[in-house]
Amino acid sequence: MTGAMLSLADEQGRYRIELGGVMGEPGLALYDVNGKNRVWLCVGEEGPRLVLHDEKGQERALLGVAEEGPRLLLRDEKGKAIWSAP
């Protein structure tokens, strides 16, 4: 445990889960076997968000709920938005 962050490692000593605050937002990060962040779940000022990253660390999907309602955004491998609602 380091400061306001709880980190859990696998049997090889690789960090796989982090629970704590990042940039003022409480959240949960899940990492793959290569140490890449693949899932980020947080609650910020605008509401809760779930962000999914590909194997290169690129954000590919975002689901969030803000004051104006829910939002879903999908991105291609270059980060370009390819679908969103609303």
Side-chain angles (χ1 to χ4, degrees), residues 9-41:
D10 63 16
E11 31 311 311
Q12 284 77 37
R14 297 177 295 219
Y15 287 112
R16 302 297 302 272
I17 300 171
E18 289 185 330
L19 177 64
V22 175
M23 295 188 304
E25 297 181 345
L28 172 70
L30 302 177
Y31 298 87
D32 66 16
V33 295
N34 298 311
K36 296 280 187 180
N37 178 282
R38 300 299 298 272
V39 178
W40 174 242
L41 175 65

PDB file of all heavy atoms in Angstrom, residues 9-41:
ATOM      1  N   ALA A   9      -0.439  -7.114  -6.518  1.00  0.00           N
ATOM      2  CA  ALA A   9       0.403  -7.738  -7.539  1.00  0.00           C
ATOM      3  C   ALA A   9       0.048  -9.204  -7.686  1.00  0.00           C
ATOM      4  O   ALA A   9      -0.508  -9.826  -6.781  1.00  0.00           O
ATOM      5  CB  ALA A   9       1.868  -7.589  -7.141  1.00  0.00           C
ATOM      6  N   ASP A  10       0.403  -9.773  -8.849  1.00  0.00           N
ATOM      7  CA  ASP A  10       0.208 -11.203  -9.067  1.00  0.00           C
ATOM      8  C   ASP A  10       1.396 -11.965  -8.481  1.00  0.00           C
ATOM      9  O   ASP A  10       2.287 -11.374  -7.875  1.00  0.00           O
ATOM     10  CB  ASP A  10      -0.027 -11.509 -10.548  1.00  0.00           C
ATOM     11  CG  ASP A  10       1.144 -11.151 -11.453  1.00  0.00           C
ATOM     12  OD1 ASP A  10       2.275 -10.935 -10.950  1.00  0.00           O
ATOM     13  OD2 ASP A  10       0.935 -11.084 -12.676  1.00  0.00           O
ATOM     14  N   GLU A  11       1.420 -13.277  -8.689  1.00  0.00           N
ATOM     15  CA  GLU A  11       2.492 -14.095  -8.101  1.00  0.00           C
ATOM     16  C   GLU A  11       3.870 -13.785  -8.683  1.00  0.00           C
ATOM     17  O   GLU A  11       4.886 -14.095  -8.065  1.00  0.00           O
ATOM     18  CB  GLU A  11       2.202 -15.577  -8.165  1.00  0.00           C
ATOM     19  CG  GLU A  11       1.426 -16.282  -9.205  1.00  0.00           C
ATOM     20  CD  GLU A  11       0.076 -15.803  -9.647  1.00  0.00           C
ATOM     21  OE1 GLU A  11      -0.836 -15.513  -8.882  1.00  0.00           O
ATOM     22  OE2 GLU A  11      -0.054 -15.755 -10.864  1.00  0.00           O
ATOM     23  N   GLN A  12       3.945 -13.157  -9.849  1.00  0.00           N
ATOM     24  CA  GLN A  12       5.220 -12.751 -10.441  1.00  0.00           C
ATOM     25  C   GLN A  12       5.636 -11.341 -10.010  1.00  0.00           C
ATOM     26  O   GLN A  12       6.649 -10.825 -10.456  1.00  0.00           O
ATOM     27  CB  GLN A  12       5.142 -12.791 -11.976  1.00  0.00           C
ATOM     28  CG  GLN A  12       5.197 -14.186 -12.567  1.00  0.00           C
ATOM     29  CD  GLN A  12       3.873 -14.914 -12.423  1.00  0.00           C
ATOM     30  OE1 GLN A  12       2.825 -14.318 -12.545  1.00  0.00           O
ATOM     31  NE2 GLN A  12       3.947 -16.208 -12.153  1.00  0.00           N
ATOM     32  N   GLY A  13       4.845 -10.705  -9.148  1.00  0.00           N
ATOM     33  CA  GLY A  13       5.177  -9.376  -8.654  1.00  0.00           C
ATOM     34  C   GLY A  13       4.719  -8.245  -9.554  1.00  0.00           C
ATOM     35  O   GLY A  13       5.075  -7.090  -9.327  1.00  0.00           O
ATOM     36  N   ARG A  14       3.931  -8.554 -10.601  1.00  0.00           N
ATOM     37  CA  ARG A  14       3.432  -7.518 -11.503  1.00  0.00           C
ATOM     38  C   ARG A  14       2.163  -6.922 -10.923  1.00  0.00           C
ATOM     39  O   ARG A  14       1.256  -7.650 -10.507  1.00  0.00           O
ATOM     40  CB  ARG A  14       3.111  -8.113 -12.878  1.00  0.00           C
ATOM     41  CG  ARG A  14       4.310  -8.687 -13.579  1.00  0.00           C
ATOM     42  CD  ARG A  14       3.896  -9.316 -14.875  1.00  0.00           C
ATOM     43  NE  ARG A  14       3.030 -10.458 -14.586  1.00  0.00           N
ATOM     44  CZ  ARG A  14       3.047 -11.610 -15.241  1.00  0.00           C
ATOM     45  NH1 ARG A  14       3.858 -11.773 -16.259  1.00  0.00           N
ATOM     46  NH2 ARG A  14       2.240 -12.587 -14.915  1.00  0.00           N
ATOM     47  N   TYR A  15       2.113  -5.579 -10.893  1.00  0.00           N
ATOM     48  CA  TYR A  15       0.901  -4.919 -10.404  1.00  0.00           C
ATOM     49  C   TYR A  15      -0.236  -5.175 -11.377  1.00  0.00           C
ATOM     50  O   TYR A  15      -0.103  -4.986 -12.580  1.00  0.00           O
ATOM     51  CB  TYR A  15       1.118  -3.410 -10.224  1.00  0.00           C
ATOM     52  CG  TYR A  15       1.979  -3.105  -9.037  1.00  0.00           C
ATOM     53  CD1 TYR A  15       3.250  -2.586  -9.188  1.00  0.00           C
ATOM     54  CD2 TYR A  15       1.514  -3.363  -7.758  1.00  0.00           C
ATOM     55  CE1 TYR A  15       4.052  -2.323  -8.089  1.00  0.00           C
ATOM     56  CE2 TYR A  15       2.304  -3.104  -6.646  1.00  0.00           C
ATOM     57  CZ  TYR A  15       3.567  -2.597  -6.818  1.00  0.00           C
ATOM     58  OH  TYR A  15       4.358  -2.337  -5.729  1.00  0.00           O
ATOM     59  N   ARG A  16      -1.370  -5.648 -10.841  1.00  0.00           N
ATOM     60  CA  ARG A  16      -2.529  -5.973 -11.673  1.00  0.00           C
ATOM     61  C   ARG A  16      -3.756  -5.154 -11.317  1.00  0.00           C
ATOM     62  O   ARG A  16      -4.625  -4.934 -12.135  1.00  0.00           O
ATOM     63  CB  ARG A  16      -2.861  -7.464 -11.536  1.00  0.00           C
ATOM     64  CG  ARG A  16      -1.737  -8.404 -11.917  1.00  0.00           C
ATOM     65  CD  ARG A  16      -1.340  -8.296 -13.379  1.00  0.00           C
ATOM     66  NE  ARG A  16      -2.411  -8.554 -14.295  1.00  0.00           N
ATOM     67  CZ  ARG A  16      -2.754  -9.746 -14.756  1.00  0.00           C
ATOM     68  NH1 ARG A  16      -2.075 -10.801 -14.387  1.00  0.00           N
ATOM     69  NH2 ARG A  16      -3.760  -9.873 -15.582  1.00  0.00           N
ATOM     70  N   ILE A  17      -3.814  -4.674 -10.060  1.00  0.00           N
ATOM     71  CA  ILE A  17      -4.973  -3.917  -9.595  1.00  0.00           C
ATOM     72  C   ILE A  17      -4.482  -2.734  -8.760  1.00  0.00           C
ATOM     73  O   ILE A  17      -3.598  -2.891  -7.928  1.00  0.00           O
ATOM     74  CB  ILE A  17      -5.903  -4.786  -8.725  1.00  0.00           C
ATOM     75  CG1 ILE A  17      -6.409  -5.989  -9.509  1.00  0.00           C
ATOM     76  CG2 ILE A  17      -7.070  -3.967  -8.176  1.00  0.00           C
ATOM     77  CD1 ILE A  17      -7.152  -7.010  -8.658  1.00  0.00           C
ATOM     78  N   GLU A  18      -5.067  -1.572  -9.004  1.00  0.00           N
ATOM     79  CA  GLU A  18      -4.807  -0.409  -8.164  1.00  0.00           C
ATOM     80  C   GLU A  18      -6.145   0.209  -7.782  1.00  0.00           C
ATOM     81  O   GLU A  18      -7.020   0.379  -8.637  1.00  0.00           O
ATOM     82  CB  GLU A  18      -3.948   0.628  -8.880  1.00  0.00           C
ATOM     83  CG  GLU A  18      -2.524   0.181  -9.058  1.00  0.00           C
ATOM     84  CD  GLU A  18      -1.644   1.248  -9.665  1.00  0.00           C
ATOM     85  OE1 GLU A  18      -2.141   2.077 -10.443  1.00  0.00           O
ATOM     86  OE2 GLU A  18      -0.450   1.239  -9.352  1.00  0.00           O
ATOM     87  N   LEU A  19      -6.269   0.535  -6.529  1.00  0.00           N
ATOM     88  CA  LEU A  19      -7.479   1.152  -6.000  1.00  0.00           C
ATOM     89  C   LEU A  19      -7.052   2.403  -5.258  1.00  0.00           C
ATOM     90  O   LEU A  19      -6.208   2.344  -4.373  1.00  0.00           O
ATOM     91  CB  LEU A  19      -8.193   0.194  -5.053  1.00  0.00           C
ATOM     92  CG  LEU A  19      -9.444   0.692  -4.346  1.00  0.00           C
ATOM     93  CD1 LEU A  19     -10.535   0.995  -5.359  1.00  0.00           C
ATOM     94  CD2 LEU A  19      -9.913  -0.353  -3.346  1.00  0.00           C
ATOM     95  N   GLY A  20      -7.616   3.535  -5.641  1.00  0.00           N
ATOM     96  CA  GLY A  20      -7.244   4.766  -4.971  1.00  0.00           C
ATOM     97  C   GLY A  20      -7.624   5.971  -5.783  1.00  0.00           C
ATOM     98  O   GLY A  20      -8.475   5.903  -6.660  1.00  0.00           O
ATOM     99  N   GLY A  21      -6.964   7.074  -5.514  1.00  0.00           N
ATOM    100  CA  GLY A  21      -7.264   8.318  -6.193  1.00  0.00           C
ATOM    101  C   GLY A  21      -6.211   8.674  -7.218  1.00  0.00           C
ATOM    102  O   GLY A  21      -5.026   8.595  -6.949  1.00  0.00           O
ATOM    103  N   VAL A  22      -6.653   9.037  -8.416  1.00  0.00           N
ATOM    104  CA  VAL A  22      -5.763   9.511  -9.473  1.00  0.00           C
ATOM    105  C   VAL A  22      -6.336  10.826  -9.973  1.00  0.00           C
ATOM    106  O   VAL A  22      -7.511  10.895 -10.345  1.00  0.00           O
ATOM    107  CB  VAL A  22      -5.667   8.490 -10.629  1.00  0.00           C
ATOM    108  CG1 VAL A  22      -4.844   9.057 -11.764  1.00  0.00           C
ATOM    109  CG2 VAL A  22      -5.065   7.180 -10.138  1.00  0.00           C
ATOM    110  N   MET A  23      -5.542  11.870  -9.958  1.00  0.00           N
ATOM    111  CA  MET A  23      -5.969  13.199 -10.380  1.00  0.00           C
ATOM    112  C   MET A  23      -7.255  13.619  -9.663  1.00  0.00           C
ATOM    113  O   MET A  23      -8.175  14.164 -10.260  1.00  0.00           O
ATOM    114  CB  MET A  23      -6.143  13.258 -11.895  1.00  0.00           C
ATOM    115  CG  MET A  23      -4.845  13.063 -12.647  1.00  0.00           C
ATOM    116  SD  MET A  23      -4.908  13.340 -14.419  1.00  0.00           S
ATOM    117  CE  MET A  23      -6.179  12.251 -14.953  1.00  0.00           C
ATOM    118  N   GLY A  24      -7.339  13.306  -8.380  1.00  0.00           N
ATOM    119  CA  GLY A  24      -8.473  13.726  -7.568  1.00  0.00           C
ATOM    120  C   GLY A  24      -9.718  12.893  -7.727  1.00  0.00           C
ATOM    121  O   GLY A  24     -10.758  13.218  -7.153  1.00  0.00           O
ATOM    122  N   GLU A  25      -9.661  11.810  -8.500  1.00  0.00           N
ATOM    123  CA  GLU A  25     -10.827  10.957  -8.703  1.00  0.00           C
ATOM    124  C   GLU A  25     -10.589   9.583  -8.094  1.00  0.00           C
ATOM    125  O   GLU A  25      -9.578   8.938  -8.385  1.00  0.00           O
ATOM    126  CB  GLU A  25     -11.116  10.783 -10.203  1.00  0.00           C
ATOM    127  CG  GLU A  25     -11.463  12.050 -10.910  1.00  0.00           C
ATOM    128  CD  GLU A  25     -11.768  11.815 -12.387  1.00  0.00           C
ATOM    129  OE1 GLU A  25     -11.441  10.746 -12.919  1.00  0.00           O
ATOM    130  OE2 GLU A  25     -12.340  12.724 -12.987  1.00  0.00           O
ATOM    131  N   PRO A  26     -11.517   9.102  -7.249  1.00  0.00           N
ATOM    132  CA  PRO A  26     -11.370   7.742  -6.746  1.00  0.00           C
ATOM    133  C   PRO A  26     -11.635   6.763  -7.876  1.00  0.00           C
ATOM    134  O   PRO A  26     -12.519   6.973  -8.712  1.00  0.00           O
ATOM    135  CB  PRO A  26     -12.444   7.642  -5.660  1.00  0.00           C
ATOM    136  CG  PRO A  26     -13.469   8.657  -6.047  1.00  0.00           C
ATOM    137  CD  PRO A  26     -12.719   9.756  -6.743  1.00  0.00           C
ATOM    138  N   GLY A  27     -10.823   5.701  -7.939  1.00  0.00           N
ATOM    139  CA  GLY A  27     -11.012   4.769  -9.035  1.00  0.00           C
ATOM    140  C   GLY A  27     -10.342   3.432  -8.820  1.00  0.00           C
ATOM    141  O   GLY A  27      -9.624   3.206  -7.854  1.00  0.00           O
ATOM    142  N   LEU A  28     -10.605   2.555  -9.776  1.00  0.00           N
ATOM    143  CA  LEU A  28     -10.060   1.205  -9.805  1.00  0.00           C
ATOM    144  C   LEU A  28      -9.437   0.990 -11.174  1.00  0.00           C
ATOM    145  O   LEU A  28     -10.103   1.192 -12.199  1.00  0.00           O
ATOM    146  CB  LEU A  28     -11.180   0.188  -9.576  1.00  0.00           C
ATOM    147  CG  LEU A  28     -10.812  -1.280  -9.762  1.00  0.00           C
ATOM    148  CD1 LEU A  28      -9.894  -1.745  -8.642  1.00  0.00           C
ATOM    149  CD2 LEU A  28     -12.062  -2.134  -9.816  1.00  0.00           C
ATOM    150  N   ALA A  29      -8.171   0.603 -11.213  1.00  0.00           N
ATOM    151  CA  ALA A  29      -7.480   0.319 -12.470  1.00  0.00           C
ATOM    152  C   ALA A  29      -7.107  -1.155 -12.498  1.00  0.00           C
ATOM    153  O   ALA A  29      -6.624  -1.697 -11.503  1.00  0.00           O
ATOM    154  CB  ALA A  29      -6.225   1.178 -12.591  1.00  0.00           C
ATOM    155  N   LEU A  30      -7.328  -1.792 -13.657  1.00  0.00           N
ATOM    156  CA  LEU A  30      -6.951  -3.190 -13.861  1.00  0.00           C
ATOM    157  C   LEU A  30      -5.916  -3.243 -14.977  1.00  0.00           C
ATOM    158  O   LEU A  30      -6.089  -2.623 -16.028  1.00  0.00           O
ATOM    159  CB  LEU A  30      -8.170  -4.026 -14.242  1.00  0.00           C
ATOM    160  CG  LEU A  30      -9.336  -4.020 -13.255  1.00  0.00           C
ATOM    161  CD1 LEU A  30     -10.493  -4.838 -13.805  1.00  0.00           C
ATOM    162  CD2 LEU A  30      -8.917  -4.534 -11.899  1.00  0.00           C
ATOM    163  N   TYR A  31      -4.835  -3.994 -14.750  1.00  0.00           N
ATOM    164  CA  TYR A  31      -3.719  -4.083 -15.690  1.00  0.00           C
ATOM    165  C   TYR A  31      -3.595  -5.493 -16.232  1.00  0.00           C
ATOM    166  O   TYR A  31      -3.857  -6.471 -15.519  1.00  0.00           O
ATOM    167  CB  TYR A  31      -2.409  -3.689 -14.988  1.00  0.00           C
ATOM    168  CG  TYR A  31      -2.421  -2.265 -14.500  1.00  0.00           C
ATOM    169  CD1 TYR A  31      -2.930  -1.934 -13.246  1.00  0.00           C
ATOM    170  CD2 TYR A  31      -1.938  -1.242 -15.298  1.00  0.00           C
ATOM    171  CE1 TYR A  31      -2.959  -0.633 -12.803  1.00  0.00           C
ATOM    172  CE2 TYR A  31      -1.954   0.070 -14.864  1.00  0.00           C
ATOM    173  CZ  TYR A  31      -2.467   0.367 -13.614  1.00  0.00           C
ATOM    174  OH  TYR A  31      -2.494   1.672 -13.187  1.00  0.00           O
ATOM    175  N   ASP A  32      -3.146  -5.611 -17.502  1.00  0.00           N
ATOM    176  CA  ASP A  32      -2.920  -6.932 -18.081  1.00  0.00           C
ATOM    177  C   ASP A  32      -1.556  -7.460 -17.650  1.00  0.00           C
ATOM    178  O   ASP A  32      -0.830  -6.799 -16.901  1.00  0.00           O
ATOM    179  CB  ASP A  32      -3.100  -6.907 -19.603  1.00  0.00           C
ATOM    180  CG  ASP A  32      -2.058  -6.063 -20.334  1.00  0.00           C
ATOM    181  OD1 ASP A  32      -1.007  -5.715 -19.753  1.00  0.00           O
ATOM    182  OD2 ASP A  32      -2.304  -5.769 -21.523  1.00  0.00           O
ATOM    183  N   VAL A  33      -1.177  -8.649 -18.141  1.00  0.00           N
ATOM    184  CA  VAL A  33       0.092  -9.264 -17.732  1.00  0.00           C
ATOM    185  C   VAL A  33       1.305  -8.475 -18.202  1.00  0.00           C
ATOM    186  O   VAL A  33       2.402  -8.663 -17.680  1.00  0.00           O
ATOM    187  CB  VAL A  33       0.199 -10.724 -18.223  1.00  0.00           C
ATOM    188  CG1 VAL A  33      -0.852 -11.592 -17.565  1.00  0.00           C
ATOM    189  CG2 VAL A  33       0.104 -10.814 -19.728  1.00  0.00           C
ATOM    190  N   ASN A  34       1.126  -7.564 -19.169  1.00  0.00           N
ATOM    191  CA  ASN A  34       2.218  -6.737 -19.661  1.00  0.00           C
ATOM    192  C   ASN A  34       2.298  -5.378 -18.972  1.00  0.00           C
ATOM    193  O   ASN A  34       3.097  -4.534 -19.348  1.00  0.00           O
ATOM    194  CB  ASN A  34       2.077  -6.531 -21.171  1.00  0.00           C
ATOM    195  CG  ASN A  34       2.167  -7.841 -21.911  1.00  0.00           C
ATOM    196  OD1 ASN A  34       3.067  -8.632 -21.682  1.00  0.00           O
ATOM    197  ND2 ASN A  34       1.208  -8.098 -22.776  1.00  0.00           N
ATOM    198  N   GLY A  35       1.452  -5.170 -17.980  1.00  0.00           N
ATOM    199  CA  GLY A  35       1.477  -3.922 -17.228  1.00  0.00           C
ATOM    200  C   GLY A  35       0.696  -2.793 -17.860  1.00  0.00           C
ATOM    201  O   GLY A  35       0.787  -1.655 -17.406  1.00  0.00           O
ATOM    202  N   LYS A  36      -0.056  -3.082 -18.902  1.00  0.00           N
ATOM    203  CA  LYS A  36      -0.867  -2.051 -19.562  1.00  0.00           C
ATOM    204  C   LYS A  36      -2.202  -1.911 -18.852  1.00  0.00           C
ATOM    205  O   LYS A  36      -2.851  -2.904 -18.530  1.00  0.00           O
ATOM    206  CB  LYS A  36      -1.135  -2.411 -21.028  1.00  0.00           C
ATOM    207  CG  LYS A  36       0.085  -2.474 -21.886  1.00  0.00           C
ATOM    208  CD  LYS A  36       0.504  -1.102 -22.297  1.00  0.00           C
ATOM    209  CE  LYS A  36       1.638  -1.206 -23.303  1.00  0.00           C
ATOM    210  NZ  LYS A  36       2.096   0.054 -23.748  1.00  0.00           N
ATOM    211  N   ASN A  37      -2.611  -0.656 -18.643  1.00  0.00           N
ATOM    212  CA  ASN A  37      -3.929  -0.397 -18.056  1.00  0.00           C
ATOM    213  C   ASN A  37      -4.980  -0.773 -19.087  1.00  0.00           C
ATOM    214  O   ASN A  37      -4.977  -0.276 -20.204  1.00  0.00           O
ATOM    215  CB  ASN A  37      -4.056   1.075 -17.674  1.00  0.00           C
ATOM    216  CG  ASN A  37      -5.418   1.395 -17.114  1.00  0.00           C
ATOM    217  OD1 ASN A  37      -6.379   1.538 -17.860  1.00  0.00           O
ATOM    218  ND2 ASN A  37      -5.513   1.488 -15.812  1.00  0.00           N
ATOM    219  N   ARG A  38      -5.883  -1.675 -18.706  1.00  0.00           N
ATOM    220  CA  ARG A  38      -6.920  -2.114 -19.639  1.00  0.00           C
ATOM    221  C   ARG A  38      -8.307  -1.645 -19.233  1.00  0.00           C
ATOM    222  O   ARG A  38      -9.183  -1.476 -20.070  1.00  0.00           O
ATOM    223  CB  ARG A  38      -6.910  -3.640 -19.745  1.00  0.00           C
ATOM    224  CG  ARG A  38      -5.594  -4.216 -20.246  1.00  0.00           C
ATOM    225  CD  ARG A  38      -5.228  -3.741 -21.642  1.00  0.00           C
ATOM    226  NE  ARG A  38      -6.166  -4.113 -22.661  1.00  0.00           N
ATOM    227  CZ  ARG A  38      -6.133  -5.237 -23.345  1.00  0.00           C
ATOM    228  NH1 ARG A  38      -5.172  -6.110 -23.131  1.00  0.00           N
ATOM    229  NH2 ARG A  38      -7.051  -5.488 -24.251  1.00  0.00           N
ATOM    230  N   VAL A  39      -8.508  -1.432 -17.929  1.00  0.00           N
ATOM    231  CA  VAL A  39      -9.817  -1.010 -17.431  1.00  0.00           C
ATOM    232  C   VAL A  39      -9.612   0.080 -16.390  1.00  0.00           C
ATOM    233  O   VAL A  39      -8.763  -0.043 -15.512  1.00  0.00           O
ATOM    234  CB  VAL A  39     -10.590  -2.190 -16.795  1.00  0.00           C
ATOM    235  CG1 VAL A  39     -11.922  -1.723 -16.231  1.00  0.00           C
ATOM    236  CG2 VAL A  39     -10.782  -3.321 -17.781  1.00  0.00           C
ATOM    237  N   TRP A  40     -10.403   1.143 -16.488  1.00  0.00           N
ATOM    238  CA  TRP A  40     -10.374   2.221 -15.500  1.00  0.00           C
ATOM    239  C   TRP A  40     -11.814   2.533 -15.135  1.00  0.00           C
ATOM    240  O   TRP A  40     -12.620   2.858 -16.007  1.00  0.00           O
ATOM    241  CB  TRP A  40      -9.662   3.442 -16.073  1.00  0.00           C
ATOM    242  CG  TRP A  40      -9.698   4.661 -15.192  1.00  0.00           C
ATOM    243  CD1 TRP A  40     -10.282   5.859 -15.495  1.00  0.00           C
ATOM    244  CD2 TRP A  40      -9.158   4.811 -13.891  1.00  0.00           C
ATOM    245  NE1 TRP A  40     -10.116   6.743 -14.443  1.00  0.00           N
ATOM    246  CE2 TRP A  40      -9.435   6.111 -13.448  1.00  0.00           C
ATOM    247  CE3 TRP A  40      -8.467   3.955 -13.028  1.00  0.00           C
ATOM    248  CZ2 TRP A  40      -9.044   6.588 -12.201  1.00  0.00           C
ATOM    249  CZ3 TRP A  40      -8.082   4.433 -11.787  1.00  0.00           C
ATOM    250  CH2 TRP A  40      -8.365   5.735 -11.386  1.00  0.00           C
ATOM    251  N   LEU A  41     -12.141   2.399 -13.882  1.00  0.00           N
ATOM    252  CA  LEU A  41     -13.467   2.712 -13.358  1.00  0.00           C
ATOM    253  C   LEU A  41     -13.286   3.807 -12.324  1.00  0.00           C
ATOM    254  O   LEU A  41     -12.499   3.647 -11.382  1.00  0.00           O
ATOM    255  CB  LEU A  41     -14.092   1.473 -12.716  1.00  0.00           C
ATOM    256  CG  LEU A  41     -15.435   1.653 -12.021  1.00  0.00           C
ATOM    257  CD1 LEU A  41     -16.520   2.043 -13.023  1.00  0.00           C
ATOM    258  CD2 LEU A  41     -15.816   0.376 -11.288  1.00  0.00           C
TER     259      LEU A  41
END
